[in-house]
Amino acid sequence: MSEETDVRAAPVAARVHLAHAVVQKLADDRGIDLLHLKGPAVLPGLRPEGRHSSDVDVLVRPSHLRSLVTAVESVGFEQRTSFATGSVFAHAANWWHDDWGWVDVHMSWPGVTIDAERAYDVLARDRVVRQIAHRDCPVPNRTAQRLILTLHSARSGGTTDLDHAWTAATPEEQDAVRALATELHAEVALAAGIGELELHRGDPTYLLWRHVTRGGSRFDEWRARLAAATTLRAKAELLTAAMRVNRDHLRMELGHAPTRSDIRARQRLRLRRAAGELTSRVRRS
């Protein structure tokens, strides 16, 4: 059996561990600053026993992004989504490798609103080393991990990580998380994660966090994203994006690069759904 076959046959959890080590080796060789997040990077006691990740999450220093992209693509990773199309927060892009699986590269973390380079410095401050697949990998300290997991829970509409990262924390530990959230200007996202979002109804990002935590229609999502956009240019780009088919997501859904016919069909579907939702709203009003 070939080495390639052995890797592909490995359990997902084992592949994720190995992929963390692969990315760190590439970073070490090129002097790239990054932090490993979630999954095997989580410190003991901050997630349920037996909980595993299906992909690798890393936060890269934004000024080192180009070097990291060059590094991962040099060993066969292929980009599948861009930062603009990856999520409503435009915070990460995804790379796929036939052996190692998915790597999600983050330049920021959803809910953190200060400058991304400065945010990296804050999250990397007092970082610790965790061995993943026998490779020393830098990870955020315990307070930063509590915040990261709580913000991830908010973005995901609630996860079991919240019980360990926030609910089980002592009042002193929770105070430290709140202080870090304030430093990162992530107070609204933290509030969304811990059930205090209504205290921030006047914030421009309130509607967005209400949508991601409680759900809603596509119309609600785009209205929330427009409200959260801070400049006219950002709002204009969102309006343009709302009219286009997300080709990255369509490719992942279809399992192949979409053809012109696929794109036209999806565009027609988007228009029908939009018309149907507008009609329903008019009838309810």
Side-chain angles (χ1 to χ4, degrees):
M1 183 179 292
S2 69
E3 181 179 350
E4 179 181 32
T5 304
D6 285 341
V7 173
R8 294 183 182 186
V12 171
R15 290 176 64 181
V16 168
H17 279 70
L18 292 169
H20 273 281
V22 168
V23 174
Q24 187 57 47
K25 173 64 165 60
L26 294 170
D28 289 341
D29 289 348
R30 292 161 176 79
I32 297 168
D33 293 340
L34 56 78
L35 296 169
H36 296 255
L37 310 175
K38 298 170 49 190
V42 175
L43 295 170
L46 294 184
R47 65 172 178 169
E49 290 293 331
R51 177 167 165 77
H52 300 292
S53 289
S54 59
D55 55 19
V56 171
D57 287 275
V58 295
L59 177 71
V60 64
R61 180 182 293 281
S63 56
H64 291 185
L65 174 64
R66 187 180 298 275
S67 296
L68 180 60
V69 170
T70 299
V72 297
E73 292 184 350
S74 73
V75 296
F77 281 92
E78 297 179 0
Q79 187 171 4
R80 294 296 176 84
T81 68
S82 69
F83 287 93
T85 61
S87 78
V88 298
F89 296 98
H91 68 289
N94 309 107
W95 275 261
W96 168 261
H97 193 287
D98 287 341
D99 291 336
W100 308 114
W102 289 103
V103 170
D104 294 351
V105 177
H106 301 254
M107 280 201 302
S108 62
W109 197 251
V112 174
T113 59
I114 65 170
D115 172 76
E117 193 83 14
R118 182 177 158 214
Y120 180 88
D121 286 332
V122 172
L123 291 170
R125 186 178 62 207
D126 302 323
R127 62 189 176 275
V128 296
V129 171
R130 185 159 173 78
Q131 275 216 339
I132 305 176
H134 304 288
R135 188 86 190 181
D136 286 346
C137 297
V139 305
N141 68 17
R142 188 168 290 271
T143 297
Q145 289 203 14
R146 288 187 187 278
L147 177 61
I148 287 167
L149 291 170
T150 302
L151 299 187
H152 175 68
S153 178
R155 178 192 167 237
S156 305
T159 70
T160 55
D161 290 337
L162 185 66
D163 295 335
H164 292 69
W166 177 260
T167 308
T170 66
E172 294 75 18
E173 289 168 335
Q174 291 182 353
D175 287 344
V177 173
R178 290 184 187 274
L180 181 59
T182 298
E183 186 175 3
L184 293 167
H185 295 184
E187 301 98 318
V188 180
L190 175 62
I194 62 178
E196 298 178 358
L197 182 59
E198 292 306 310
L199 299 177
H200 299 270
R201 289 184 66 91
D203 191 273
T205 63
Y206 166 79
L207 287 176
L208 184 57
W209 283 105
R210 189 179 71 175
H211 176 77
V212 297
T213 54
R214 302 178 189 176
S217 67
R218 289 286 287 172
F219 180 86
D220 294 329
E221 176 191 324
W222 286 104
R223 183 179 66 153
R225 293 176 69 177
L226 281 170
T230 56
T231 66
L232 288 176
R233 179 178 178 179
K235 291 179 186 294
E237 290 174 348
L238 276 174
L239 287 172
T240 301
M243 302 303 295
R244 291 198 305 258
V245 172
N246 187 326
R247 298 190 182 198
D248 292 337
H249 285 187
L250 183 57
R251 174 179 177 171
M252 289 190 292
E253 180 182 325
L254 297 175
H256 59 78
T259 64
R260 290 182 180 180
S261 177
D262 293 329
I263 294 169
R264 286 195 297 268
R266 183 53 54 94
Q267 187 68 59
R268 289 193 295 269
L269 178 60
R270 285 169 66 91
L271 291 174
R272 285 199 301 271
R273 287 175 174 173
E277 184 170 341
L278 287 173
T279 300
S280 297
R281 284 179 175 273
V282 170
R283 288 174 176 171
R284 292 197 302 266
S285 62

